[in-house]
Amino acid sequence: FLANEELRLRIADKAREIEARQNQYGESGEARRNVLGTVLSQLWSQLDSLVCELYDLNQEDISFFSSRRRNVDRVNFSSQWM
């Protein structure tokens, strides 16, 4: 974990990108939110993949976590707190 500085920086960049899009989402009308919602979902998936890579999860581990449903919609949940 600590040895992979480049990957940690990529994760931090992705998190900042999510934050910026999330701010846009919170300030947008319904039509723009539909577009940004799709973009945010993709960004969250990319972040998930980077974290899996950081922790060196194998396909079995990833499948285990993927089979569990999230209790919140990360896109809508985050916008409620802005």
Side-chain angles (χ1 to χ4, degrees), residues 12 14 35-36 39-40 45 47 57 61 68 70 79:
K14 190 62 62 181
V35 172
L36 287 170
V39 171
L40 280 162
S45 291
L47 181 63
L57 299 181
D61 297 331
R68 304 316 190 252
R70 292 197 185 281
S79 68

Side-chain angles (χ1 to χ4, degrees), residues 18-69:
I18 289 170
E19 180 181 25
R21 297 290 187 189
Q22 200 69 56
N23 288 334
Q24 292 173 354
Y25 183 90
E27 299 168 354
S28 297
E30 185 177 346
R32 180 80 174 133
R33 279 184 175 212
N34 288 335
V35 172
L36 287 170
T38 300
V39 171
L40 280 162
S41 292
Q42 293 170 348
L43 290 171
W44 278 108
S45 291
Q46 292 168 8
L47 181 63
D48 288 342
S49 294
L50 289 170
V51 171
C52 288
E53 184 179 342
L54 179 68
Y55 285 102
D56 198 27
L57 299 181
N58 61 36
Q59 191 57 47
E60 184 179 347
D61 297 331
I62 294 168
S63 295
F64 173 81
F65 289 110
S66 296
S67 69
R68 304 316 190 252
R69 307 280 278 152

